[in-house]
Amino acid sequence: MENSAPKADLPANLNVTGQPHEVVVVGGGAGGLELVTCLGDRLGRRGRARITLIEKTRAHFWKPHLHELAAGSMDLGSYETDYLAQSHWHGFRYRIGEMAGLDRAQKQVQVAPFVDEDGDQVTPARAFHYDTLVIAVGSITSDFGVRGVRDHAFRLDTPSEATHFHRRLVNACIRAHAQTAPLSPGQLQVILIGAGATGVELAAELHRTTRVLVSYGLDRIDPDKDIRLVLLEASDRILPALPERLSDGARKLLQGLGVQIRTSSLVKEVLPDGVRLGSGEIIPAELVVWAAGVKAPDFLRDLGGLEVNSTNQLAVTPTLQTTRDPDVFAIGDCAACPWIGMEPGRLVPPRAQAAHQQATHMLGQIELRLRGAGLRPWRYRDFGSLVSLGEYSTIGNLMGTLVGGNLWVEGYFARMMYVSLYKMHELALHGFWKVALDTLARMITRRTEPHVKLH
């Protein structure tokens, strides 16, 4: 354990050992990394608190970009943030490892041993003391218990899963080009299960990048005839969580590209070479991506007796404190946060903009705790929804006082708004000058390298 147990009462900015207030954040996703960066800059550097990030991976990648990584239109190395470097530059500590348990009585986060890709143990099991704990472990794809998903479908929860899918896609194209026999049924067919934002965006990106890929000498493949994309959705329209106008616009564009869209199609089983629908129909495919539904990580169900809902999200109050422990907070996709101003029981949706807003609010909450002041409720501000269809288009609606209600947008303007969401995230992590220089460097590099990743 890195700190001894507390012994006496002291002012709010010190813990009971007489040391600076210990803030531990578990999870380095969009909300968690923004929070520890701002806390480190504002409190950690000045000795007003000690900030620790516990994260099981070595680098951060913005989750809404995973579909671009999977399609090959984005290079991981140019967009990831190294946690160790970020902690050094911004006044917080980074400790690698996965949260394994929570001792609320002793105020300790228990962390499992970290084992590397070669099976070697790098760090032992450890415990970290906290005065304020923020859980920001995000969400994962829910397979709803469908057979074969774990064994035969790709999921895009992490950069490693996205890059694995892309390697398999490139290999499938190279294999098809090199073989002398005709393509077998389902060969070069990709089935995307779930027509939410991830599935729809991935379908558009794959349509473009597969055509660029085969243009690099794979001339025996006719992309319009040989490469087929099938988008399956259990509900009666794609993008079911978004306004119908967005759904209709995306459907028309994808169908114009030749993407086969099948709604009201419930997947019963994922097979090694395709999927079986509830109707009994089997659709052959070489690659299957599961992008249907999300849930919080399973370990939260039994974490220190904290209250969770049916999708493992931690129940929180409007102040973002968990319902059973005022010293434990939750933000981002893993938090079941009430949407103030909406009908009772409605929760804030799991979106990047919500995590960004919660991280900003948590910064103020922790400063209030250090002063011994009362906490403030958080109100979600919905700025609308944007769906990127790659270089073909972007569609969405903007909401709020800035646009006077509800403004429907598409095309170049919508694309710029979509890009601005990521730029806001980058600015929160790195500041203006680093973001400006990195953006310029990417623009230059893009002119000297292939427009898709070829390996």
Side-chain angles (χ1 to χ4, degrees), residues 1-280:
M1 187 180 74
E2 295 222 344
N3 293 298
S4 60
K7 297 178 181 178
D9 292 333
L10 286 174
N13 65 319
L14 300 179
N15 64 24
V16 291
T17 65
Q19 299 299 315
H21 191 94
E22 292 274 2
V23 180
V24 174
V25 178
V26 180
L33 187 56
E34 286 186 21
L35 177 58
V36 292
T37 298
C38 294
L39 286 172
D41 288 339
R42 190 173 297 187
L43 304 177
R45 290 185 181 280
R46 300 174 186 178
R48 294 178 56 200
R50 185 149 72 162
I51 316 301
T52 301
L53 171 67
I54 297 173
E55 165 58 45
K56 62 183 178 181
T57 62
R58 300 180 190 271
H60 164 76
F61 184 83
W62 200 52
K63 195 169 184 179
H65 276 165
L66 283 174
H67 71 281
E68 296 179 73
L69 192 62
S73 53
M74 180 172 286
D75 181 59
L76 177 62
S78 299
Y79 287 87
E80 64 181 357
T81 298
D82 187 280
Y83 289 119
L84 199 57
Q86 186 77 358
S87 68
H88 174 72
W89 293 328
H90 293 278
F92 65 91
R93 303 184 305 167
Y94 159 61
R95 299 294 181 257
I96 194 167
E98 184 172 9
M99 187 177 190
L102 175 63
D103 186 337
R104 289 164 51 206
Q106 296 295 320
K107 287 193 169 184
Q108 292 178 6
V109 175
Q110 297 159 349
V111 178
F114 176 71
V115 178
D116 67 14
E117 56 274 12
D118 297 320
D120 297 326
Q121 181 174 303
V122 179
T123 61
R126 295 180 285 177
F128 296 85
H129 176 262
Y130 66 86
D131 299 300
T132 297
L133 172 63
V134 183
I135 300 176
V137 293
S139 62
I140 58 176
T141 302
S142 174
D143 60 18
F144 302 111
V146 175
R147 292 197 305 268
V149 174
R150 292 181 180 272
D151 296 328
H152 307 306
F154 292 91
R155 290 184 281 187
L156 305 183
D157 289 328
T158 65
S160 61
E161 290 173 335
T163 54
H164 183 207
F165 168 78
H166 179 68
R167 286 196 303 272
R168 289 283 300 274
L169 177 67
V170 173
N171 288 344
C173 291
I174 294 175
R175 182 185 306 112
H177 175 263
Q179 73 185 43
T180 56
L183 297 183
S184 60
Q187 191 173 357
L188 291 185
Q189 179 154 293
V190 181
I191 294 179
L192 311 174
I193 303 173
T198 299
V200 167
E201 291 178 332
L202 180 58
E205 284 288 342
L206 285 175
H207 181 273
R208 184 185 68 86
T209 58
T210 51
R211 278 147 181 78
V212 176
L213 172 63
V214 300
S215 72
Y216 284 90
L218 304 182
D219 47 20
R220 295 183 61 191
I221 297 175
D222 181 348
D224 292 325
K225 182 181 70 173
D226 298 331
I227 300 177
R228 296 173 300 281
L229 302 174
V230 181
L231 185 61
L232 301 179
E233 170 58 41
S235 64
D236 60 358
R237 64 182 177 92
I238 67 172
L239 299 175
L242 300 183
E244 191 167 351
R245 181 169 174 176
L246 291 184
S247 174
D248 290 341
R251 176 181 54 78
K252 291 175 183 177
L253 189 145
L254 290 177
Q255 287 178 334
L257 297 176
V259 176
Q260 183 182 353
I261 298 175
R262 298 186 58 169
T263 55
S264 301
S265 297
L266 183 66
V267 174
K268 191 71 173 178
E269 182 180 4
V270 178
L271 307 170
D273 53 359
V275 301
R276 177 182 287 112
L277 302 183
S279 63

